[in-house]
Amino acid sequence: MQPHEVFLQQLITGLSNGMIIALIALGYTMVYGIIELINFAHGDVFMLGAFLALTLLGVLGMEAWSPTWRIGGVAIMLVGSALFCGGLNWTLDRVAYRSLRRASKLSLLVSAIGCSFICTNLGLFWGGVPMEVFAGGVAAAAPKDFPQLIPQTNLLGASAIRITPADIAVVVVTVPLMIGLVFLVNRTRMGRAMRAVAQDATAAALMGIPVDRVIGITFFIGGALGGFASVVYALYNNTIGFQMGYRAGMDAFTAAVVGGIGSLPGAVLGGLTIGLVRAMSDQYLETQWTNTIVFGMLVMILIFRPSGLLGTTRREKV
Amino acid sequence: MRGRFGAITIILTCAAVVPIVDLALPESLRISEAVRGVFLYAILALGLNVVSGYAGLLNLGIAAFMAIGAYAFAILTCEIYPFQVGFWPGILLTLPIGALAGFVLGAPTLRLRGDYLAIVTLGFGEIVQDLLKNLDTVTKGTQGINPLPSPSFGGEAWTASDEYKWYYLLLAVLVIVVLFVRNLERSRLGRAWFSIRQDELASRSMGIRVERVKMLAFSTGAAIAALAGGLSASVLSSTGEPSNYDFQVSILALCIVIVGGIGGIAGVLVGALVMVGLNSIVLVKAAAALAALGIGGQGNVLLSPNNWKYLIFGLALVLAVRLKPDGLLPPRIERSMR
């Protein structure tokens, strides 16, 4: 491969992974925007979504399906994981966060960390389910292979640069979701209610907005986006594991902060940035330093530009 | 101001008689080795308690300072490096080194708001681990640095069989740390910490230099954590691999502080007993018991008690925050100051 081809290839990989990170980052940024909570469990909700997708795949025997039917299979996994992750995220809010609305922000964060650990452990147990797709569940903690439902053949034929149907699938799933989300938040009644609660929950309640329900729906939507992302991630990377939520979550949270937490376009921009930085660092530095670079970026941005690329400065309330 | 001095004394006295009872028990029921782990985590958690309990700054990367202490001790004392300062100077030097590391991280970041600071400390914890892993010419990568010296009082250096000497050494250090932080919380600085935790703006108006006071909390906590790291490396005669100081360790320390009662010394001691006891006594003994009965092992993921760890830590955090926000043994000082 020529140097410029290597660069282009990393660009494609980086953008595809970046789109997935962006989709997870939207879940962080929505929740942070509305109740100022770093929803630590979000990454693990994402991870459980991937486990549900693999379970559906196994139960329905999708590997034996014809290529056309497989597209339907992917749709089933997308809808299933989205509903599941949305519901799970809503449940976490209902059970572990709602009663702490009046408590300090740090207790809320501690509760979210607790939820994250519980979900991680559920993922470990899930990997031990004796099913063929989980390799019989013998080694519960081991990473699981996710079958290539979408072929990784090169659409550019014999070219050295590879664009696969999986790359296309990433775009086909993520872009409409992002557009839909922006429409929902900016153009619908529910979106207006969300923005009102984010700005001032008390005033919103006085105006007759059911604050807890709006927050719950925000959690549901954020979780559902994570569910979509989990299926795309699994199809794209072909391996899932119970500890992947922590890494993916940190990448996505970094993306949300880079873009300016609370801002939807910011989360997308941040996701693409992180995806590209990761791909380039993997290629031109050493893979082992990539995480250090991403975390270093997070620390630097929080110190020098806490409002991110597209965020607005908000003064801390007294 | 009255702390829970009675409770602290009772706990530490009970700890002192454990080895005597232990010797009378059969091998499989002995716990003094696990109790040493409780002491180490109690020291670590007392450090975290200074940062998060007294000053109210959530630190999710306390394990990084423990790692810095462990590696500093190792590099200062191990025979493969030129320094070889010996056990006592090495252990004492972990304190200023830890404080310096706390200063380096704290100086640029302490102006951040609470939850951002928490994420920065978490990122710091990951970066330190990666650095230790990747700079393997100095840190020996995943092998860890060993062997490390043991203490001695004039005579021959201790070996692994001197476990009760180790036990009392760690207990003695724990008592010193307890006395230190107890005096600290009753000092002018300690009152400043309580004040900024309650209301930063009001404290600033009263003339407290918030940045400086936060920095002192951060550095003090880091120094105590580094001490715990140095001690633990010396007990194991190795730093172990960098992932021994991962996020899980930071969370265990956080669990100890939150479950026990954030901001109080007796609470932290109880928390360490409950959480570490669960982690390295109950789970380990349960695994041994299951193995003796012939169940568990490879087959079923649910039957291995070790696989329940995350769930237990997670539930401990969620339930503690929800049901007992002040912890099992909440500090008394706060109430008397209201």
Side-chain angles (χ1 to χ4, degrees):
Chain A
M1 271 176 112
Q2 302 292 318
H4 73 275
E5 287 175 335
V6 173
F7 179 79
L8 279 176
Q9 186 62 61
Q10 289 308 107
L11 202 65
I12 294 166
T13 316
L15 287 177
S16 291
N17 277 318
M19 293 297 269
I20 300 171
I21 296 174
L23 210 50
I24 312 172
L26 284 169
Y28 276 106
T29 224
M30 286 182 75
V31 166
Y32 195 89
I34 205 159
I35 55 170
E36 298 204 345
L37 162 71
I38 297 166
N39 183 11
F40 219 88
H42 190 66
D44 298 281
V45 169
F46 158 85
M47 175 272 295
L48 289 176
F51 273 82
L52 180 84
L54 187 54
T55 311
L56 285 175
L57 188 148
V59 169
L60 300 176
M62 285 184 203
E63 270 182 281
W65 293 5
S66 73
T68 347
W69 277 98
R70 282 183 175 188
I71 296 178
V74 171
I76 294 175
M77 289 194 288
L78 283 171
V79 173
S81 287
L83 290 176
F84 171 72
C85 290
L88 181 60
N89 219 24
W90 182 88
T91 312
L92 291 181
D93 172 53
R94 184 72 192 80
V95 176
Y97 308 151
R98 188 180 284 186
S99 56
L100 297 172
R101 295 260 202 271
R102 276 162 216 284
S104 79
K105 262 196 274 174
L106 292 187
S107 352
L108 199 57
L109 184 59
V110 168
S111 188
I113 295 171
C115 290
S116 159
F117 269 63
I118 295 172
C119 289
T120 306
N121 211 143
L122 294 181
L124 174 63
F125 289 160
W126 203 332
V129 173
M131 279 176 64
E132 206 172 314
V133 283
F134 293 117
V138 180
K144 314 291 172 196
D145 288 329
F146 199 97
Q148 288 188 6
L149 278 199
I150 297 182
Q152 303 264 21
T153 50
N154 192 352
L155 294 174
L156 299 181
S159 165
I161 301 170
R162 292 169 55 85
I163 293 185
T164 64
D167 286 308
I168 306 292
V170 171
V171 178
V172 168
V173 175
T174 53
V175 172
L177 283 172
M178 289 168 186
I179 295 173
L181 182 69
V182 171
F183 176 81
L184 176 93
V185 171
N186 290 327
R187 291 274 183 277
T188 63
R189 250 176 99 80
M190 179 42 83
R192 210 181 315 146
M194 285 174 181
R195 283 179 288 138
V197 173
Q199 205 149 67
D200 189 335
T202 319
L206 291 172
M207 295 296 147
I209 295 172
V211 172
D212 274 332
R213 202 160 82 203
V214 171
I215 295 176
I217 290 172
T218 308
F219 268 91
F220 182 89
I221 296 173
L225 292 173
F228 284 118
S230 71
V231 177
V232 183
Y233 174 95
L235 289 170
Y236 192 74
N237 292 304
N238 300 115
T239 174
I240 63 174
F242 81 103
Q243 280 172 321
M244 76 186 196
Y246 179 63
R247 276 274 163 255
M250 282 318 299
D251 277 355
F253 178 74
T254 307
V257 171
V258 168
I261 198 147
S263 149
L264 300 183
V268 176
L269 185 68
L272 293 177
T273 311
I274 297 297
L276 284 176
V277 167
R278 284 203 85 101
M280 295 305 162
S281 157
D282 280 348
Q283 178 66 38
Y284 296 106
L285 298 167
E286 277 172 89
T287 321
Q288 52 180 356
W289 289 106
T290 300
N291 282 328
T292 313
I293 287 172
V294 172
F295 278 115
M297 240 173 96
L298 174 69
V299 174
M300 289 300 150
I301 288 193
L302 282 179
I303 294 170
F304 294 111
R305 198 174 155 72
S307 50
L309 296 173
L310 299 184
T312 46
T313 22
R314 210 187 324 187
R315 289 207 48 193
E316 193 156 4
K317 285 175 217 157
V318 182
Chain B
M1 258 197 285
R2 253 168 44 95
R4 286 188 181 268
F5 204 59
I8 297 172
T9 316
I10 293 169
I11 295 168
L12 292 177
T13 314
C14 287
V17 296
V18 164
I20 300 163
V21 180
D22 221 33
L23 278 174
L25 291 172
E27 194 92 23
S28 64
L29 290 177
R30 285 185 190 170
I31 55 165
S32 69
E33 205 180 322
V35 176
R36 280 186 343 209
V38 175
F39 293 161
L40 284 171
Y41 268 102
I43 297 172
L44 180 68
L46 283 171
L48 178 64
N49 191 41
V50 171
V51 192
S52 301
Y54 296 167
L57 308 163
L58 187 55
N59 184 342
L60 295 178
I62 196 78
F65 296 108
M66 191 180 180
I68 287 170
Y71 276 85
F73 175 75
I75 289 172
L76 285 171
T77 57
C78 184
E79 61 200 25
I80 58 176
Y81 295 99
F83 310 106
Q84 298 180 24
V85 298
F87 177 83
W88 293 107
I91 278 295
L92 289 177
L93 280 170
T94 58
L95 288 166
I97 290 170
L100 187 68
F103 179 80
V104 168
L105 177 64
T109 56
L110 282 175
R111 276 172 300 126
L112 297 172
R113 357 200 287 224
D115 42 2
Y116 277 8
L117 180 69
I119 291 296
V120 166
T121 53
L122 191 159
F124 179 73
E126 296 294 316
I127 290 175
V128 167
Q129 250 187 86
D130 276 356
L131 286 179
L132 293 175
K133 217 174 294 171
N134 294 340
L135 297 174
D136 45 7
T137 45
V138 182
T139 62
K140 306 292 162 226
T142 50
Q143 294 174 359
I145 302 171
N146 59 64
L148 302 180
S150 313
S152 66
F153 291 92
E156 285 187 20
W158 301 351
T159 58
S161 61
D162 288 321
E163 53 176 299
Y164 293 107
K165 288 184 187 168
W166 275 116
Y167 185 94
Y168 284 109
L169 175 71
L170 293 178
L171 181 60
V173 177
L174 177 62
V175 170
I176 293 170
V177 173
V178 165
L179 288 174
F180 173 68
V181 290
R182 184 180 144 76
N183 280 314
L184 208 54
E185 75 177 21
R186 294 148 60 107
S187 70
R188 189 184 165 88
L189 183 59
R191 294 196 303 273
W193 285 334
F194 286 122
S195 166
I196 60 166
R197 189 180 64 183
Q198 295 293 339
D199 193 332
E200 204 176 305
L201 204 60
S203 317
R204 203 185 287 275
S205 326
M206 300 300 284
I208 293 174
R209 293 206 237 158
V210 173
E211 277 76 25
R212 213 178 84 158
V213 166
K214 277 186 177 177
M215 182 57 93
L216 282 169
F218 217 69
S219 290
T220 311
I224 297 175
L227 174 68
L231 287 169
S232 108
S234 176
V235 171
L236 299 171
S237 185
S238 163
T239 56
E241 55 178 322
S243 61
N244 287 359
Y245 309 93
D246 65 358
F247 185 52
Q248 241 194 87
V249 174
S250 297
I251 289 299
L252 181 52
L254 184 69
C255 282
I256 291 171
V257 171
I258 301 240
V259 169
I262 191 160
I265 296 168
V268 170
L269 296 179
V270 171
L273 192 64
V274 172
M275 292 309 300
V276 184
L278 209 59
N279 189 22
S280 50
I281 301 178
V282 177
L283 287 183
V284 173
K285 299 285 178 202
L290 282 178
L293 292 171
I295 21 181
Q298 296 304 309
N300 193 327
V301 58
L302 296 176
L303 287 180
S304 167
N306 220 9
N307 287 341
W308 292 79
K309 240 186 224 176
Y310 287 101
L311 197 70
I312 292 168
F313 290 179
L315 276 177
L317 286 179
V318 174
L319 293 179
V321 170
R322 171 111 195 229
L323 304 175
K324 271 196 145 328
D326 296 329
L328 294 174
L329 210 55
R332 278 200 190 134
I333 283 187
E334 195 104 345
R335 220 171 296 155
S336 62
M337 282 175 74
R338 263 181 206 150

